[in-house]
Amino acid sequence: MPPKPILAVGACTHVVFSTFKSTKTGLRSQIESNTRSNLEGMSKRVYTIWFDDDDVEKNVHGTPVLRSMYTQAFSQFPDADTYTYVNGDLLMDGDFVRTADAVVSASKGGHLSRRFLVVGKRTNVDWRGKTTMEDFDAHHSEGTLFWNNAQDYFMVSKQTFDWEKAIPAFVVGRAGYDNWLVDTAFHDPEVALMDATPTIRVIHQTDHEGNVAQGGPNRPDKSYNHELGKGEWDHGTTDHAEYETFWKTDGTVGVRDRKGLNDIGGMTHDMVHRTHFDIFDHYYPTVFSAWWIDDWITKVYEPSRSIQLKELEVKHHTGKHGTRYKVQGHEEKLLVGEVAKGKKRVAKWVGDTRYIVDEATVSTPPTPHRLSHQMSKAPTLVVMGTARNVAKHSASNVATVQRAARLHAEHGVVLIQLLNEGYVEMTKSWVCNVRRFSTVLPKTLFVTTDQAAYDALTAFDPTLHVVLEPYTAPKSMKYGQTTYYNYMLFRTKLISTLLDSNLTLWLTESDAVWLKDPTDLVMGTEGDLVTMSDDRPPRQLLQGGFQLLRPTDATKRLWTRMRDAFETKMKAVSKQDIGDHGSEQLMLDNMSREDSELRVGWLDPHTFVPGLWYKDRSYRKTVPAPAVVLNNWIIGNDAKIARAKEWKHWFLDESGACI
């Protein structure tokens, strides 16, 4: 295997790997030599690994195990953008790199999940009588496109699968594992499954064994993968992919969803509101001549400050008029730095603004389809034919609503946790705490409000459902501070938006400890709003951080009223510390009692207890075995963490791993 090189900074890098049969002569040897030469010469940004028998794990029959190759590829090239296993008899052209770049661009731009699986169909070409691969186009034109249930390459990111824990020890060269992987991606709402057949041309060099050899009819492990995967897959073909690649009119590769056929990658035409010029001195950075400007504006305003106008289509007549410029490849190295500077300027501007979001309607373009979004009177950025609020409290929350809706469709409820960088460690501890309850994390959506929190949480556990909903706030906030209540106002608006999307929400917070799985108790309690008391029984005080909200008219009305009153109150605040005056929990408690039509379901106070339980010995005697204990009635994260550790309710060790 080649030594590990230093990957180019700022450019997409792709790792391609395979393993070959122990054949030294004949047509099979020539086919494998063709594959090596083809992939090694594809691009300087493609790094190849050829695994020998001694390099990779094998089953008892000596057949290489797929997951072993992926984990080794991750280890050798930890910073690559994509990792692709290919069968040892394939040929590809440069469109593979262009497609991989487009997928990475869409993923990094927030338009596509960081967890993706890209597959595609192959074209079978009879290679008997051939020797070399001199004319790819000519060979490809001779072939026949093969079945949709036979995948021979698998492009992923490091985050796509937990290969060691979640993927069985499938072996290559045998049927079944390809369909199992595709089916697994299909059923995981966080994995973007993509068919790249439209843009990646793949030649299968067919020898005397034919197109469905599967290792030969006499191989003892011919059915090995079917037995290992129990033969269970119902959505394992390329036709089941949610996304597909396509050729744009300007000759570049795009990525789109198959339902609406909408381009989700970086877009080449954009419009901005005049506030763009309040933030930036020029429309685009002057360091770019032409080629990289769309990449810059796509990445600066992604993912939460741009959405695509699906009604508008711009036709690019390069076929008739040609292009006005060549690619300025040397400017690509400037992109990462310019994007970082642009993001900082947007964040600074948003953090300084004092505009407040109100409802308005965007005028509709003259098309058969009606575009209707709730916008604000705050300055609006319209990017890549998209509109998005940049006021301090966003009204759209598009990314969060979409992710929450996907989880809701699968589970019927979404657990919501909001956090910034200051709450990451407590959130990690909570994740470790509830891992023993198998149904909790799959339906939990972590809404991070800064990039640091997003990166930390996705790195800690790539299988978590995490979304970035940018909001500028101090890392450290305490109850009673105006910054804390503004953060809670942001949360209130987000919850109201999710309820308006008819989603059942279970609000949770990471400073709680779950000693038993409370799911059945919570979901089995009737009411528009189900909550626990934040006081000792028999007193009842609605708890703001542990609620089940069913999207009834009464619940929506309550949260809309609370949102509006909360916003009005915070407008009038001039002090940095206002004590209980800004408490949305007290406000919600009062409003819920005033609404005679709202049905409130109270959880058992001997099963769900507030932080007073830690302080009061007599209280603990009456509730010796609670299911959920909130770590509240104490101010500051450091104090909460110290108390959790004292009571052995902390689930991270000194290295930051789960205990």
PDB file of all heavy atoms in Angstrom, residues 415-429:
ATOM      1  N   LEU A 415     -38.064  14.229  19.836  1.00  0.00           N
ATOM      2  CA  LEU A 415     -37.468  14.833  21.025  1.00  0.00           C
ATOM      3  C   LEU A 415     -36.579  15.979  20.575  1.00  0.00           C
ATOM      4  O   LEU A 415     -35.765  15.808  19.654  1.00  0.00           O
ATOM      5  CB  LEU A 415     -36.646  13.823  21.814  1.00  0.00           C
ATOM      6  CG  LEU A 415     -37.405  12.866  22.738  1.00  0.00           C
ATOM      7  CD1 LEU A 415     -38.129  11.792  21.934  1.00  0.00           C
ATOM      8  CD2 LEU A 415     -36.476  12.239  23.763  1.00  0.00           C
ATOM      9  N   ILE A 416     -36.714  17.135  21.195  1.00  0.00           N
ATOM     10  CA  ILE A 416     -35.981  18.322  20.793  1.00  0.00           C
ATOM     11  C   ILE A 416     -35.064  18.775  21.918  1.00  0.00           C
ATOM     12  O   ILE A 416     -35.499  18.934  23.069  1.00  0.00           O
ATOM     13  CB  ILE A 416     -36.931  19.483  20.423  1.00  0.00           C
ATOM     14  CG1 ILE A 416     -37.825  19.099  19.237  1.00  0.00           C
ATOM     15  CG2 ILE A 416     -36.150  20.760  20.136  1.00  0.00           C
ATOM     16  CD1 ILE A 416     -37.102  19.011  17.921  1.00  0.00           C
ATOM     17  N   GLN A 417     -33.788  18.970  21.595  1.00  0.00           N
ATOM     18  CA  GLN A 417     -32.851  19.589  22.535  1.00  0.00           C
ATOM     19  C   GLN A 417     -32.126  20.720  21.817  1.00  0.00           C
ATOM     20  O   GLN A 417     -31.643  20.546  20.699  1.00  0.00           O
ATOM     21  CB  GLN A 417     -31.835  18.583  23.074  1.00  0.00           C
ATOM     22  CG  GLN A 417     -32.386  17.685  24.144  1.00  0.00           C
ATOM     23  CD  GLN A 417     -31.307  17.094  25.030  1.00  0.00           C
ATOM     24  OE1 GLN A 417     -30.187  17.595  25.105  1.00  0.00           O
ATOM     25  NE2 GLN A 417     -31.642  16.018  25.724  1.00  0.00           N
ATOM     26  N   LEU A 418     -32.061  21.866  22.467  1.00  0.00           N
ATOM     27  CA  LEU A 418     -31.376  23.039  21.928  1.00  0.00           C
ATOM     28  C   LEU A 418     -30.084  23.249  22.700  1.00  0.00           C
ATOM     29  O   LEU A 418     -30.070  23.145  23.931  1.00  0.00           O
ATOM     30  CB  LEU A 418     -32.276  24.274  22.058  1.00  0.00           C
ATOM     31  CG  LEU A 418     -31.768  25.578  21.459  1.00  0.00           C
ATOM     32  CD1 LEU A 418     -31.903  25.553  19.944  1.00  0.00           C
ATOM     33  CD2 LEU A 418     -32.556  26.764  22.018  1.00  0.00           C
ATOM     34  N   LEU A 419     -29.005  23.543  21.993  1.00  0.00           N
ATOM     35  CA  LEU A 419     -27.745  23.770  22.695  1.00  0.00           C
ATOM     36  C   LEU A 419     -26.806  24.637  21.877  1.00  0.00           C
ATOM     37  O   LEU A 419     -26.902  24.699  20.651  1.00  0.00           O
ATOM     38  CB  LEU A 419     -27.045  22.448  22.999  1.00  0.00           C
ATOM     39  CG  LEU A 419     -26.484  21.656  21.801  1.00  0.00           C
ATOM     40  CD1 LEU A 419     -25.185  20.966  22.200  1.00  0.00           C
ATOM     41  CD2 LEU A 419     -27.492  20.623  21.318  1.00  0.00           C
ATOM     42  N   ASN A 420     -25.908  25.324  22.599  1.00  0.00           N
ATOM     43  CA  ASN A 420     -24.767  25.983  21.965  1.00  0.00           C
ATOM     44  C   ASN A 420     -23.500  25.361  22.532  1.00  0.00           C
ATOM     45  O   ASN A 420     -23.542  24.348  23.246  1.00  0.00           O
ATOM     46  CB  ASN A 420     -24.820  27.499  22.152  1.00  0.00           C
ATOM     47  CG  ASN A 420     -24.535  27.928  23.588  1.00  0.00           C
ATOM     48  OD1 ASN A 420     -24.378  27.107  24.498  1.00  0.00           O
ATOM     49  ND2 ASN A 420     -24.486  29.225  23.815  1.00  0.00           N
ATOM     50  N   GLU A 421     -22.349  25.949  22.204  1.00  0.00           N
ATOM     51  CA  GLU A 421     -21.075  25.357  22.594  1.00  0.00           C
ATOM     52  C   GLU A 421     -20.972  25.156  24.106  1.00  0.00           C
ATOM     53  O   GLU A 421     -20.367  24.197  24.576  1.00  0.00           O
ATOM     54  CB  GLU A 421     -19.925  26.242  22.105  1.00  0.00           C
ATOM     55  CG  GLU A 421     -18.550  25.667  22.377  1.00  0.00           C
ATOM     56  CD  GLU A 421     -17.430  26.585  21.915  1.00  0.00           C
ATOM     57  OE1 GLU A 421     -17.731  27.727  21.494  1.00  0.00           O
ATOM     58  OE2 GLU A 421     -16.253  26.172  21.989  1.00  0.00           O
ATOM     59  N   GLY A 422     -21.594  26.043  24.881  1.00  0.00           N
ATOM     60  CA  GLY A 422     -21.482  25.962  26.326  1.00  0.00           C
ATOM     61  C   GLY A 422     -22.179  24.763  26.938  1.00  0.00           C
ATOM     62  O   GLY A 422     -21.915  24.400  28.090  1.00  0.00           O
ATOM     63  N   TYR A 423     -23.093  24.137  26.190  1.00  0.00           N
ATOM     64  CA  TYR A 423     -23.863  23.009  26.725  1.00  0.00           C
ATOM     65  C   TYR A 423     -23.434  21.675  26.115  1.00  0.00           C
ATOM     66  O   TYR A 423     -24.100  20.656  26.341  1.00  0.00           O
ATOM     67  CB  TYR A 423     -25.352  23.238  26.456  1.00  0.00           C
ATOM     68  CG  TYR A 423     -25.937  24.399  27.218  1.00  0.00           C
ATOM     69  CD1 TYR A 423     -25.871  25.691  26.697  1.00  0.00           C
ATOM     70  CD2 TYR A 423     -26.528  24.231  28.463  1.00  0.00           C
ATOM     71  CE1 TYR A 423     -26.387  26.780  27.392  1.00  0.00           C
ATOM     72  CE2 TYR A 423     -27.048  25.307  29.169  1.00  0.00           C
ATOM     73  CZ  TYR A 423     -26.977  26.576  28.622  1.00  0.00           C
ATOM     74  OH  TYR A 423     -27.477  27.642  29.325  1.00  0.00           O
ATOM     75  N   VAL A 424     -22.339  21.658  25.378  1.00  0.00           N
ATOM     76  CA  VAL A 424     -21.930  20.447  24.667  1.00  0.00           C
ATOM     77  C   VAL A 424     -21.608  19.311  25.632  1.00  0.00           C
ATOM     78  O   VAL A 424     -22.055  18.166  25.447  1.00  0.00           O
ATOM     79  CB  VAL A 424     -20.724  20.734  23.747  1.00  0.00           C
ATOM     80  CG1 VAL A 424     -20.078  19.433  23.278  1.00  0.00           C
ATOM     81  CG2 VAL A 424     -21.159  21.554  22.543  1.00  0.00           C
ATOM     82  N   GLU A 425     -20.839  19.584  26.673  1.00  0.00           N
ATOM     83  CA  GLU A 425     -20.428  18.504  27.569  1.00  0.00           C
ATOM     84  C   GLU A 425     -21.625  17.885  28.284  1.00  0.00           C
ATOM     85  O   GLU A 425     -21.707  16.668  28.444  1.00  0.00           O
ATOM     86  CB  GLU A 425     -19.401  19.031  28.579  1.00  0.00           C
ATOM     87  CG  GLU A 425     -18.070  19.431  27.949  1.00  0.00           C
ATOM     88  CD  GLU A 425     -17.476  18.322  27.103  1.00  0.00           C
ATOM     89  OE1 GLU A 425     -17.259  17.219  27.639  1.00  0.00           O
ATOM     90  OE2 GLU A 425     -17.235  18.549  25.895  1.00  0.00           O
ATOM     91  N   MET A 426     -22.561  18.725  28.728  1.00  0.00           N
ATOM     92  CA  MET A 426     -23.762  18.169  29.364  1.00  0.00           C
ATOM     93  C   MET A 426     -24.566  17.341  28.370  1.00  0.00           C
ATOM     94  O   MET A 426     -25.137  16.301  28.730  1.00  0.00           O
ATOM     95  CB  MET A 426     -24.615  19.296  29.948  1.00  0.00           C
ATOM     96  CG  MET A 426     -24.206  19.679  31.355  1.00  0.00           C
ATOM     97  SD  MET A 426     -25.459  20.629  32.225  1.00  0.00           S
ATOM     98  CE  MET A 426     -25.407  22.154  31.321  1.00  0.00           C
ATOM     99  N   THR A 427     -24.609  17.790  27.124  1.00  0.00           N
ATOM    100  CA  THR A 427     -25.344  17.039  26.110  1.00  0.00           C
ATOM    101  C   THR A 427     -24.683  15.697  25.843  1.00  0.00           C
ATOM    102  O   THR A 427     -25.364  14.665  25.704  1.00  0.00           O
ATOM    103  CB  THR A 427     -25.438  17.863  24.813  1.00  0.00           C
ATOM    104  OG1 THR A 427     -26.051  19.120  25.098  1.00  0.00           O
ATOM    105  CG2 THR A 427     -26.263  17.130  23.769  1.00  0.00           C
ATOM    106  N   LYS A 428     -23.368  15.673  25.782  1.00  0.00           N
ATOM    107  CA  LYS A 428     -22.659  14.404  25.605  1.00  0.00           C
ATOM    108  C   LYS A 428     -22.977  13.444  26.750  1.00  0.00           C
ATOM    109  O   LYS A 428     -23.205  12.246  26.536  1.00  0.00           O
ATOM    110  CB  LYS A 428     -21.153  14.645  25.535  1.00  0.00           C
ATOM    111  CG  LYS A 428     -20.660  15.317  24.272  1.00  0.00           C
ATOM    112  CD  LYS A 428     -19.145  15.492  24.348  1.00  0.00           C
ATOM    113  CE  LYS A 428     -18.577  16.175  23.123  1.00  0.00           C
ATOM    114  NZ  LYS A 428     -17.107  16.361  23.243  1.00  0.00           N
ATOM    115  N   SER A 429     -22.971  13.958  27.970  1.00  0.00           N
ATOM    116  CA  SER A 429     -23.273  13.112  29.132  1.00  0.00           C
ATOM    117  C   SER A 429     -24.682  12.542  29.020  1.00  0.00           C
ATOM    118  O   SER A 429     -24.920  11.363  29.313  1.00  0.00           O
ATOM    119  CB  SER A 429     -23.119  13.926  30.423  1.00  0.00           C
ATOM    120  OG  SER A 429     -23.446  13.144  31.558  1.00  0.00           O
TER     121      SER A 429
END
